């Protein structure tokens, strides 16, 4: 190693300057790269800010006091195009003038529940059970089936699907 | 000179690796998604244009520097003193750099890249005997499309970067010795920082265009290769004829062999004629390059149109739910 021609103080100042310059360059490059990495945190950008709702034609789907399954085909915008359609069950009934819509997605781990002949719900994945009012009955699910917001007009029923982060 | 070129090559390599990794987070190598995913990054993501420009310009810079390195070693006759492997590595660096540029330019599936690749693969297919098989391997099937993009992406993102790194390392060890004086280290850092600043500045001031999406139905007469292939393009126009591919192959292989064996050829009493041939070759390359730059596409209007990003490249349709009763 040849002896440094520069005095110690000057050498230290030099190293500091170079360090600052490289640090600045690294920061300037890292910020845009990290923004690309963190794009999924902006749900609006990924298409997850769009409201998901569906209009049921009541002439086609007459309501009774028995649960009736409706398959909801969800196709979201995902970043630059429409995602692969996802089918999600929901159950609808009208009991004493009250319209009820519950999600058919099990509150345990997201399997699709089945409507039993006796009007109760059964999740085949881990044997979770819900009663005829979609309330938790037995098994691992932590809570009742999720109720979906629904608004009725003359001919239609508008059902709003909650975002995953809204259901807890 | 060589150490400055090597430092800048290393900077371009690092910048393209960093920006390439960031682009790969969103890029999808299928004809349906390739263009839309990159257009989305470029137009919707904050910082997307900058990162893609960084990638385009650092790759371009890398190829330019690799050309310069070979030219410098050639014209200064440095190959006579270099270990043969180091001379070979600098030639290989240029070949691998051109390969990276070519495979990468197809990835966004633009009109320009599609027709350029169609022509290039067509030429490959005319290679005597093994041509059709080569073309099928390069395309992944009988046509340029779904089966092609994953291959190009794999070569561009995985194989070529590793080979480039493996080629750069011996060059750096040879031309940039670790034991350097303080002054020399300062100069190296200065060159490197200036390189980073320059590529970043160009990306900010003159961001890269994406161009129009590939339209397989309309032949694109304004298709021209990227600048780094211009000499080849001009050469092919000159030797056109039934045996053009054969002549091109012979010429390229002869040039490659000539360069690789130069350290032995350029010796003793043969030095003068050998040097003459080499210099003629370099001059011919420069002339072809200049001709290529001056050879504007016949349809300038179409070329300008193709330089614009296709509107509605990605669907920003709202999400939808439909009901399907049982």
């Amino acid at each position: 190693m040849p002896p440094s021609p520069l005095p110690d103080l000057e050498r230290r100042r030099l190293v500091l300057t170079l360090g600052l310059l490289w640090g600045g360059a690294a920061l300037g490059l890292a910020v845009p790269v990290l923004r690309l990495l963190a794009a999924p945190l902006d749900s609006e950008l990924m298409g997850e800010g769009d409201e998901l709702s569906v209009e049921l034609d009541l002439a086609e789907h007459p309501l009774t006091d028995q649960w009736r399954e409706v398959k909801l085909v969800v196709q979201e915008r995902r970043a630059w195009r429409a995602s692969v359609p996802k089918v999600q069950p929901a159950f609808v009934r009208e009991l004493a003038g009250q319209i009820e819509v519950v999600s058919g997605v099990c509150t345990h781990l997201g399997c699709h529940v089945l409507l039993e002949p006796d009007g109760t719900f059964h999740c085949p994945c881990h044997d979770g059970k819900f009663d005829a009012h979609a309330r938790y009955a037995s098994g691992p699910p932590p809570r009742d089936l999720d109720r979906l917001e629904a608004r009725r007009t003359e001919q239609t029923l508008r059902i709003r699907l909650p975002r995953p982060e809204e259901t807890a | 000179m060589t150490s400055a070129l090597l430092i800048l090559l290393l900077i371009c390599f690092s910048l393209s690796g960093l920006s390439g990794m960031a682009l790969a987070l969103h890029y999808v190598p299928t004809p349906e998604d390739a263009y839309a995913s990159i257009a989305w990054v470029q137009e919707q993501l904050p910082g997307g244009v900058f990162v893609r420009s960084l990638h385009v310009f650092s790759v371009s810079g890398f190829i330019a520097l690799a050309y310069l390195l070979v030219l410098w070693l050639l014209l200064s006759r440095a190959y006579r003193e270099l270990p043969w492997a180091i001379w070979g590595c600098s030639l290989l660096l240029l070949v691998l750099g051109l390969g990276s540029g070519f495979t990468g330019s197809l990835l966004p599936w633009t009109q320009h890249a599609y027709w350029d690749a169609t022509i290039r693969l067509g030429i490959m297919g005319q290679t005597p005997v093994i041509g059709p098989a080569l073309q099928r391997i390069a395309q992944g099937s009988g046509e340029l499309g779904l089966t092609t993009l994953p291959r190009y992406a794999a070569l561009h993102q995985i194989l070529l970067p590793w080979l480039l790194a493996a080629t750069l390392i011996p060059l750096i060890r040879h031309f940039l010795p670790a034991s350097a004086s303080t002054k020399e280290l300062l100069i190296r850092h200065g060159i490197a920082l200036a390189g980073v600043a320059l590529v970043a500045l160009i990306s900010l001031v003159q961001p890269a265009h994406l161009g129009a999406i590939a339209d397989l139905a309309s032949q694109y007469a304004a298709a021209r290769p990227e600048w780094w292939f211009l000499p080849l393009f001009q050469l092919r126009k000159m030797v056109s004829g039934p045996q053009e591919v054969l002549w091109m192959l012979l010429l390229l292989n002869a040039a490659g062999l000539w360069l690789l064996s130069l350290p032995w050829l350029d010796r003793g009493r043969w030095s003068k004629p050998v040097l003459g041939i080499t210099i003629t070759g370099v001059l011919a390359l420069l002339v072809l390059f200049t001709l290529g730059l001056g050879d504007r596409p016949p349809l300038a209007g179409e070329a300008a149109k193709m330089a614009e990003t296709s509107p509605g490249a990605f669907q920003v349709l709202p999400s939808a739910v439909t009901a399907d009763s049982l």
Side-chain angles (χ1 to χ4, degrees):
Chain A
M1 225 2 234
S4 160
L6 294 174
D8 256 5
L9 187 70
E10 205 151 322
R11 200 186 162 82
R12 214 174 295 163
R13 200 175 291 164
L14 215 65
V15 170
L16 193 70
T17 314
L18 272 182
L20 279 177
L21 282 171
W22 274 119
L27 197 70
L29 294 170
V31 167
V33 167
L34 288 177
R35 279 173 97 167
L36 258 65
L37 180 73
L41 297 180
D42 184 347
S43 47
E44 198 80 36
L45 198 63
M46 306 308 286
E48 291 157 312
D50 303 346
E51 165 143 335
L52 287 179
S53 63
V54 61
E55 206 131 288
L56 272 193
D57 186 347
L58 289 177
E60 215 177 296
H61 305 266
L63 298 179
T64 67
D65 60 355
Q66 296 298 310
W67 287 115
R68 171 189 278 271
E69 182 169 3
V70 182
K71 292 260 186 228
L72 301 180
V73 184
V74 184
Q75 191 168 29
E76 287 186 83
R77 173 172 74 82
R78 187 63 70 243
W80 57 85
R81 67 145 161 175
S83 65
V84 177
K86 200 169 64 185
V87 178
Q88 171 177 338
F91 300 92
V92 194
R93 74 175 176 185
E94 185 170 16
L95 202 59
Q98 278 284 329
I99 292 176
E100 288 180 86
V101 186
V102 297
S103 163
V105 177
C106 183
T107 50
H108 178 216
L109 291 169
C111 290
H112 292 178
V113 299
L114 304 169
L115 181 59
E116 298 290 320
D118 63 357
T120 64
F121 300 92
H122 174 226
C123 179
C125 292
H126 303 95
D127 211 21
K129 288 193 167 118
F130 303 88
D131 70 10
H133 297 287
R135 287 182 305 224
Y136 169 76
S138 69
R143 58 176 199 277
D144 305 343
L145 286 176
D146 290 319
R147 283 178 191 270
L148 302 182
E149 248 176 67
R151 199 176 305 150
R152 186 181 187 156
T153 62
E154 282 284 302
Q155 304 295 325
T156 61
L157 182 68
R158 175 166 280 281
I159 303 172
R160 192 178 151 273
L161 262 72
R163 294 260 146 219
E165 59 270 18
E166 288 175 49
T167 61
Chain B
M1 180 70 182
T2 40
S3 53
L5 285 176
L6 251 278
I7 291 166
L8 291 175
L9 276 164
L10 186 63
I11 287 297
C12 280
F13 181 73
S14 313
L15 286 179
S16 55
L18 181 75
S19 51
M21 198 281 302
L23 289 175
L25 292 172
H26 298 285
Y27 175 71
V28 178
T30 67
E32 287 80 15
D33 282 303
Y35 185 86
S37 59
I38 291 299
W40 182 75
V41 167
Q42 176 134 349
E43 302 203 340
Q44 299 291 105
L45 286 191
V49 187
F50 177 69
V51 172
R52 183 167 172 269
S53 303
L54 216 55
H55 195 66
V56 170
F57 295 131
S58 54
V59 171
S60 243
F62 187 92
I63 295 171
L65 290 162
Y67 263 124
L68 282 178
L69 180 68
V70 170
L71 273 183
W72 177 257
L73 295 179
L74 201 59
L75 294 180
S76 63
R77 294 171 87 190
Y79 53 82
R80 293 193 304 175
E81 281 91 49
L82 287 176
W84 183 79
I86 295 296
W87 169 236
C89 274
S90 47
L91 293 174
L92 186 61
L93 197 70
L94 176 59
V95 173
L96 293 173
L98 288 172
S100 289
F102 173 54
T103 49
S105 68
L106 180 69
L107 294 185
W109 203 244
T110 57
Q111 174 76 334
H112 181 90
Y114 175 81
W115 290 106
D116 184 34
T118 303
I119 294 164
R120 188 111 356 117
L121 288 163
I123 295 173
M124 187 187 276
Q126 288 167 28
T127 311
V129 189
I130 55 167
L134 263 186
Q135 189 180 359
R136 278 190 77 85
I137 288 171
Q139 287 180 168
S141 70
E143 64 162 19
L144 177 61
L146 181 65
T147 50
T148 318
L149 281 174
R151 296 184 164 237
Y152 274 52
L155 290 178
H156 183 79
Q157 298 170 339
I158 304 169
L159 181 68
L160 288 167
W162 280 105
L163 291 179
L164 275 167
T167 314
L168 260 178
I169 289 167
L171 289 172
I172 286 166
R173 289 177 66 109
H174 185 86
F175 289 117
L176 293 173
S179 59
S181 67
T182 312
K183 193 178 157 214
E184 219 174 301
L185 281 178
L186 261 183
I187 294 173
R188 286 185 193 176
H189 278 284
I191 292 172
L193 278 164
V196 174
L198 186 68
V199 179
L201 194 70
I202 297 173
S203 303
L204 280 175
V205 176
Q206 196 70 256
H209 287 292
L210 182 58
I213 189 168
D215 179 359
L216 279 52
S218 84
Q219 171 63 281
Y220 175 38
R224 283 291 179 280
E226 306 286 346
W227 65 264
W228 52 75
F229 276 130
L230 282 178
L232 274 184
F233 172 72
Q234 285 298 322
L235 191 64
R236 201 185 54 78
K237 276 175 79 168
M238 285 174 183
V239 298
S240 63
Q243 297 296 328
E244 60 167 348
V245 175
L246 190 63
W247 283 115
M248 287 281 291
L249 273 175
L250 283 176
L251 201 66
L252 284 180
N253 281 304
L257 273 178
W258 180 265
L259 287 174
L260 279 174
S261 44
L262 253 187
W264 290 292
L265 294 175
D266 187 2
R267 265 183 199 168
R269 62 197 186 95
W270 290 107
S271 256
K272 269 211 173 125
V274 163
L275 204 61
I277 293 174
T278 307
I279 289 175
T280 314
V282 169
L283 284 178
L285 188 82
L286 292 179
V287 168
L288 285 173
F289 190 74
T290 320
L291 281 177
L293 279 182
D295 187 1
R296 294 268 136 236
L299 303 163
E302 191 190 356
K305 198 176 76 200
M306 288 306 163
E308 288 164 21
T309 305
S310 302
F314 41 87
Q315 311 170 347
V316 194
L317 300 173
S319 306
V321 190
T322 47
D324 198 5
S325 187
L326 291 184

